[in-house]
Amino acid sequence: MDQARSTISKIFNGEPHSYTRFNLTQNMEGDNSQVEMKLSSDMDEEVGGNGVGEHLNHNSNRKPYVAQRFGRTPKNLCFMAAATLLIFIIGYLIGYLVHRKKDLAPTPVAPKLPFEEPALHETGAAPLMDWDDVKNLLATKLSATKFESVFSEFASNSHRAGSPGDEALGNKVLKKFKEYGMNTWTDEHFVKVQDPPASGYNRFVFNGTEQRPNGFLSYSGTGTRTGAVVFAHYGQENDFTLLRGKNINLSGRVVLVKAGKISFAEKVANAAKMNASAVLIYPDPTDYSIGDNTPLFGHVHLGSGDPYTPGFPSFNHTQFPPVQSSGLPTILAQTITTGMANSILRKLGGQSAPREWESYYNLGEEKDVITVEVNNVLTEKRINNVFGVIKGFVDADRYVVIGAQRDAWGPGFATSTVGTSVLVELARSISDMVKNDGFKPRRSIVFASWSAGEYGSVGATEWMEGYLSSLSMKAFSYINLDGVVAGRTGFKVAASPLLHSLIESTVNTPFTKGNWESNVLEPLKLDNAAYPFLAFSGIPSVSFRFAPSNADYQYSGTLLDTRETLKQATGQQIPQLAETAAKFAGHIALRLVHDHLLRMDVTKYDKIIRTRVAQINGKVWNVKRLRPDFLPKALTVQWLISASGSYSRASRTLQADIQNSDLEDIEMCRIINDRIMTVERNFLSPYVSPKDSPFRHILLGSGPHTLTALFNHLEALRTNNPEADADLFRNQFALVTWTIQGCANSLAGDIWSLDNEI
């Protein structure tokens, strides 16, 4: 009886019998103190303005009970009439009591904080601000006039990595992030870098004359080497091939090369392959107009990060074995001035330079002996990276990283000051949009100020190495702000192919007329700070710059990188170009955190893979025809072609899923985004060590595991190069094939979706 009474009581009082779900969201007007709590059950209850349920229970609309009809016989006619009247009265009383109890019964009401205004309910399914409104809002926050004062605040004549000047700038950035209401933190590392000798000097002796250059190259080999000078143009691989074609023996020689085209580290690595003993690098007047006595600074580590903790972070609380990066050179490397180089070049004998070089220098001969001495010292420095974050409102654990180098060899105005200023202004603008204008990014934005960038993206790489397992799953893009303003007559972008479509829709400059890919896009180089994010961590990355025509900024790596020289290079337009650069970076970042689905085109890699596979296929058949003793007849490219086809089908399938997706389905959007995020990461070869080959990306990385290396290996086999190894080629060929197939499998989705799908 008690149980029956309880059941009846529940029915009449409309007590809900389903679970209750609470959804707490922040007020869309930016008031973080307001909370909305929605009750959800089998009955959809709507609360009126007075807090009382207007449609509290579906039972309130129930029809009264209708009794069965009795037979109409004269004998019981009176009885029927009396019974009908009695039933009517009972039904009326029951209905009256039920409605009266419901009117008196207390109703659960969503509690509100004191003085709280009703909040808009954010389901997470859609942003409340239109994309055009977001763009226009950012434009109102950024202005050229604001950049002038920011430049002055962050300009410094002395802020080498780990110096008091570097630390002071880091504290300024941290203070700004805190002023903007961002969550902030720092990341400390103890790194080993190589600096010029505090007492003593580096030097070279040629033709009886000693000279002591002021510039230096960090991570050079140390000691003294003597050998004949040979001029090798820019020190690119094809330059050494031309020298070898002239029967010039490079073993033990001291190679003199121009700065430019490729990084210092690549020049030294190419010379080391030729068994050279030392490399001298100088700024040639055809590329640099910096005077005869301007020293160059840089590094020659063929990698990034602290080379004495390769693949793992340089935290002070961990103990590491005595290990070093495979990218550290053993030969000597030193920069010299234009004047010093001319004193050598004028006296070189031997053959004339190849016509392809368009150079009037001689190549040098055995009697042109030079002695090079490098006495750099290895030191440990404490560096700090500085971070601030604007948290997303739907997928807060997914984030885009925007970063800028803070240190420089000298003033570094174009190298670091402009990028740091753009970083801070973007942080201010977007924070203000969230705080005061109702913008609610779906995903988070992390702002990072890196130290030790001049030594080879040391600060950024050590951070990645320390948190790689987390970053590879949650960081979906990196935007590099280093050197974004270096000229005004050209605009260049280097990026992951996944971002090309987004960049194309964002770029709107006079330089994009015609074929925008050929006019704007350029390869992402090894010495670009975005490169390790892409090739080491598998995070889609973009780097861009306003450049002087088709050349590089000639004051990079010198003490002449000042505000005045950049004004000359930009026609006094530094603030205006910085504003445009901030809008470009801001539009990319905001689009990536605004839309339901990440705006990345997974089909872009399809064309790249197909092109590379076709080249390898043609080269394999060529080698098998010309050198059948190197590759067995059973070797086939079919599996590589099949893997390429698998990726093509998987990318098209994902594209179709994107087109047909329900944007209101939050969980499905997250699943699709996770599939997109795996693409870049799965192009990292799992078969090579980060210590030996840190840039593991098989398409955009460097090392024997890449598709480019496979093609070059085949060419070496075809030309009977003694360094060619058929067994090594077959091994790398198999591993590359499965890396592509594994990427296709991951892109296809769930494991049960793979059968007959790709």
Side-chain angles (χ1 to χ4, degrees):
M1 286 300 293
D2 291 339
Q3 183 176 358
R5 188 179 298 111
S6 173
T7 302
I8 294 171
S9 175
K10 287 180 180 179
I11 293 174
F12 284 122
N13 286 286
E15 182 177 324
H17 56 276
S18 67
Y19 69 91
T20 300
R21 181 174 67 247
F22 296 92
N23 186 14
L24 295 99
T25 62
Q26 291 178 293
N27 186 339
M28 306 305 288
E29 299 301 325
D31 185 356
N32 293 337
S33 66
Q34 298 185 355
V35 178
E36 178 186 355
M37 185 177 295
K38 182 175 180 180
L39 300 177
S40 176
S41 67
D42 292 346
M43 298 163 289
D44 294 329
E45 299 172 3
E46 299 295 338
V47 178
N50 60 357
V52 179
E54 295 176 352
H55 303 287
L56 205 62
N57 194 304
H58 62 278
N59 287 333
S60 63
N61 295 321
R62 290 176 62 185
K63 295 180 180 180
Y65 172 80
V66 179
Q68 288 184 335
R69 291 166 51 184
F70 292 85
R72 293 187 179 185
T73 62
K75 183 177 179 180
N76 54 18
L77 185 59
C78 293
F79 177 78
M80 288 176 58
T84 301
L85 180 60
L86 181 61
I87 292 172
F88 177 79
I89 293 172
I90 293 173
Y92 178 83
L93 291 173
I94 290 174
Y96 172 78
L97 292 173
V98 169
H99 283 280
R100 187 170 183 271
K101 282 188 176 184
K102 287 165 61 178
D103 289 339
L104 297 175
T107 303
V109 179
K112 296 188 178 182
L113 296 179
F115 312 107
E116 177 189 6
E117 294 294 330
L120 293 172
H121 180 57
E122 167 66 274
T123 64
L128 295 183
M129 187 174 289
D130 183 75
W131 169 243
D132 288 334
D133 294 335
V134 175
K135 286 196 301 182
N136 294 334
L137 187 58
L138 178 66
T140 64
K141 305 292 181 182
L142 295 167
S143 69
T145 55
K146 291 180 181 177
F147 273 104
E148 288 285 7
S149 60
V150 180
F151 290 154
S152 299
E153 185 172 3
F154 288 98
S156 172
N157 288 327
S158 178
H159 50 117
R160 285 195 184 184
S163 69
D166 175 36
E167 187 172 358
L169 284 179
N171 290 333
K172 285 184 180 181
V173 174
L174 184 64
K175 182 181 178 182
K176 288 292 185 182
F177 287 170
K178 289 180 178 179
E179 287 177 3
Y180 305 151
M182 302 166 66
N183 288 354
T184 61
W185 72 99
T186 60
D187 180 58
E188 184 181 73
H189 294 275
F190 292 82
V191 299
K192 290 182 179 179
V193 300
Q194 197 186 66
D195 283 334
S199 59
Y201 43 83
N202 297 334
R203 69 186 188 105
F204 70 89
V205 178
F206 179 71
N207 203 26
T209 301
E210 178 186 277
Q211 301 204 58
R212 301 175 181 179
N214 292 323
F216 83 105
L217 292 171
S218 188
Y219 303 124
S220 164
T222 57
T224 303
R225 303 287 188 274
T226 299
V229 179
V230 59
F231 175 63
H233 202 37
Y234 287 102
Q236 300 177 101
E237 287 187 351
N238 60 336
D239 293 329
F240 286 109
T241 299
L242 287 173
L243 290 178
R244 196 162 49 191
K246 285 179 168 288
N247 296 319
I248 294 178
N249 182 14
L250 295 169
S251 181
R253 304 285 290 266
V254 175
V255 179
L256 178 62
V257 298
K258 300 178 183 180
K261 303 294 186 182
I262 58 176
S263 68
F264 294 157
E266 290 170 294
K267 297 175 189 290
V268 174
N270 291 338
K273 292 177 184 177
M274 300 294 107
N275 294 319
S277 62
V279 179
L280 297 176
I281 305 174
Y282 76 99
D284 193 85
T286 57
D287 303 308
Y288 294 83
S289 300
I290 59 176
D292 285 348
N293 301 311
T294 301
L296 294 180
F297 301 83
H299 76 92
V300 290
H301 174 213
L302 192 66
S304 66
D306 183 347
Y308 295 94
T309 58
F312 43 91
S314 53
F315 290 134
N316 195 38
H317 60 268
T318 51
Q319 299 297 318
F320 300 110
V323 64
Q324 63 184 41
S325 167
S326 60
L328 276 179
T330 56
I331 67 174
L332 307 189
Q334 175 65 47
T335 56
I336 60 176
T337 65
T338 302
M340 293 175 179
N342 285 334
S343 68
I344 299 173
L345 289 166
R346 285 195 297 264
K347 297 178 181 179
L348 291 183
Q351 304 179 52
S352 298
R355 287 181 302 171
E356 294 90 337
W357 293 357
E358 298 180 354
S359 174
Y360 55 84
Y361 303 126
N362 291 329
L363 297 178
E365 52 189 344
E366 293 293 338
K367 68 180 183 65
D368 299 320
V369 177
I370 191 172
T371 297
V372 179
E373 183 179 340
V374 175
N375 298 305
N376 295 344
V377 293
L378 194 65
T379 62
E380 184 176 85
K381 293 187 177 183
R382 181 179 67 88
I383 63 170
N384 275 291
N385 300 318
V386 176
F387 301 91
V389 62
I390 298 173
K391 292 186 178 179
F393 288 79
V394 179
D395 292 326
D397 61 334
R398 302 291 193 265
Y399 42 86
V400 57
V401 182
I402 307 176
Q405 170 184 324
R406 191 176 66 246
D407 65 295
W409 297 119
F413 193 81
T415 301
S416 62
T417 302
V418 174
T420 299
S421 300
V422 171
L423 177 77
V424 170
E425 275 297 277
L426 275 175
R428 178 192 61 78
S429 300
I430 300 176
S431 295
D432 192 56
M433 289 168 62
V434 174
K435 238 186 328 186
N436 299 319
D437 299 295
F439 173 58
K440 304 188 79 171
R442 300 179 63 83
R443 304 169 193 93
S444 300
I445 306 175
V446 174
F447 296 86
S449 174
W450 312 115
S451 183
E454 294 284 43
Y455 291 93
S457 301
V458 172
T461 302
E462 294 308 305
W463 180 67
M464 282 189 288
E465 289 175 341
Y467 306 99
L468 186 60
S469 58
S470 175
L471 290 172
S472 64
M473 297 295 294
K474 297 180 179 181
F476 55 81
S477 189
Y478 178 70
I479 301 172
N480 178 41
L481 299 179
D482 293 348
V484 291
V485 177
R488 65 187 179 99
T489 56
F491 183 73
K492 295 295 180 182
V493 181
S496 161
L498 293 178
L499 297 171
H500 284 180
S501 296
L502 173 59
I503 293 167
E504 183 179 10
S505 67
T506 305
V507 172
N508 183 22
T509 73
F511 316 112
T512 60
K513 294 178 180 179
N515 187 337
W516 87 275
E517 290 192 2
S518 61
N519 292 338
V520 175
L521 290 182
E522 64 180 359
L524 193 60
K525 296 180 180 179
L526 181 70
D527 56 352
N528 191 302
Y531 188 79
F533 281 88
L534 177 66
F536 173 75
S537 298
I539 299 172
S541 304
V542 57
S543 185
F544 65 97
R545 61 195 172 101
F546 287 98
S549 299
N550 295 320
D552 292 327
Y553 183 59
Q554 60 182 344
Y555 300 107
S556 293
T558 76
L559 303 183
L560 299 180
D561 182 9
T562 64
R563 191 169 188 168
E564 291 304 315
T565 54
L566 187 58
K567 280 183 178 181
Q568 296 172 12
T570 60
Q572 311 293 321
Q573 297 293 307
I574 303 175
Q576 291 78 10
L577 291 167
E579 177 191 358
T580 305
K583 289 178 179 177
F584 179 78
H587 286 174
I588 293 176
L590 291 176
R591 200 64 195 257
L592 288 170
V593 301
H594 170 274
D595 292 1
H596 297 77
L597 299 176
L598 294 173
R599 291 180 67 86
M600 297 184 186
D601 189 354
V602 297
T603 63
K604 286 292 184 180
Y605 270 121
D606 183 23
K607 181 180 179 181
I608 296 174
I609 294 173
R610 286 177 175 272
T611 300
R612 301 279 176 84
V613 169
Q615 292 171 343
I616 291 173
N617 185 39
K619 187 66 71 174
V620 164
W621 287 109
N622 195 9
V623 171
K624 291 174 72 173
R625 180 175 59 85
L626 297 176
R627 307 299 303 270
D629 53 322
F630 276 97
L631 297 178
K633 292 183 179 180
L635 179 66
T636 174
V637 189
Q638 184 57 45
W639 286 112
L640 182 59
I641 296 173
S642 176
S644 173
S646 294
Y647 179 86
S648 179
R649 289 187 294 275
S651 63
R652 291 198 304 269
T653 299
L654 177 55
Q655 201 68 26
D657 290 345
I658 292 172
Q659 295 294 327
N660 300 325
S661 61
D662 177 10
L663 297 183
E664 299 298 317
D665 189 337
I666 306 172
E667 185 61 28
M668 182 54 64
C669 287
R670 187 175 174 92
I671 290 172
I672 291 176
N673 285 333
D674 284 349
R675 288 168 66 186
I676 294 172
M677 288 171 62
T678 63
V679 174
E680 205 81 76
R681 184 173 70 250
N682 286 328
F683 279 130
L684 301 181
S685 174
Y687 307 107
V688 296
S689 164
K691 171 182 173 294
D692 300 325
S693 297
F695 303 129
R696 297 178 293 146
H697 202 294
I698 63 169
L699 296 170
L700 304 175
S702 62
H705 57 282
T706 64
L707 286 175
T708 300
L710 279 182
F711 181 83
N712 293 338
H713 206 143
L714 284 167
E715 179 63 19
L717 289 171
R718 187 187 69 83
T719 57
N720 200 24
N721 189 314
E723 296 180 359
D725 186 332
D727 290 337
L728 176 62
F729 166 79
R730 293 176 64 186
N731 182 63
Q732 295 295 342
F733 182 76
L735 297 181
V736 163
T737 299
W738 188 245
T739 300
I740 297 174
Q741 185 65 59
C743 186
N745 292 346
S746 176
L747 190 60
D750 298 313
I751 191 69
W752 51 84
S753 303
L754 300 182
D755 189 30
N756 297 323
E757 287 288 331
I758 58 175

